[in-house]
Amino acid sequence: GAVEVDGQRVPVRAAAGGGFIATIDGRDERLHAAANGDAVYVQLRGRAWRLDKVDPTRGSGAAAAGSAGAALAPMPGVVISLHAAEGQAVRRGDPLLVIESMKLQMTIEAAADGRVVELPFAVGQTFQRGALLVRTAAEENAE
């Protein structure tokens, strides 16, 4: 239905005959996209881009063993907003914070019901790839 580009919502719909139509600045623009694993290749106005799908809650296999409930930064960026606080009960899918990396904003959500136990960055602070953005701990009776 839509994607976010440079902080702006861009409506996108499937086009008859293949491809997609994106409404940019009030004008419909035809684009083509093809997915290959975690990469999406987009062609628009004669230019092509490779976009990598990023799941910020998925760490590397080595890091995952010791980081249950941890969301690690997929790339360097800045914290745009906080939607939770340390000690707060959260439900799976609740937004915890919004980050911006390479002009792309991503909402980091709770992966499971629990409590926020660590939220090391404040709004406006920058972080490096692999930095701990938030850590939650599962609780049976999170409220």
Side-chain angles (χ1 to χ4, degrees):
V3 296
E4 189 168 314
V5 179
D6 294 338
Q8 294 184 344
R9 185 177 184 275
V10 177
V12 178
R13 66 186 184 281
F20 299 91
I21 303 291
T23 305
I24 303 169
D25 296 328
R27 292 184 8 207
D28 286 346
E29 298 275 353
R30 180 176 282 277
L31 63 96
H32 297 278
N36 182 15
D38 281 346
V40 178
Y41 299 90
V42 177
Q43 183 180 26
L44 172 67
R45 297 178 184 162
R47 294 186 65 197
W49 294 271
R50 175 189 165 140
L51 307 174
D52 293 311
K53 293 187 261 182
V54 176
D55 180 354
T57 63
R58 184 176 66 195
S60 68
S67 62
L72 304 178
M75 60 191 80
V78 63
V79 175
I80 299 298
S81 62
L82 297 174
H83 296 276
E86 287 186 20
Q88 179 178 333
V90 293
R91 297 275 181 213
R92 180 181 183 170
D94 284 353
L96 302 175
L97 69 154
V98 177
I99 63 171
E100 183 176 292
S101 293
M102 298 175 65
K103 298 185 179 183
L104 172 69
Q105 289 187 3
M106 293 180 276
T107 300
I108 309 301
E109 298 176 344
D113 294 354
R115 287 205 182 271
V116 176
V117 294
E118 193 173 355
L119 198 59
F121 294 98
V123 172
Q125 283 189 304
T126 59
F127 52 83
Q128 296 301 312
R129 181 175 189 227
L132 174 70
L133 297 174
V134 62
R135 184 184 313 274
T136 59
E139 287 187 356
E140 287 185 29
N141 299 320
E143 299 178 64

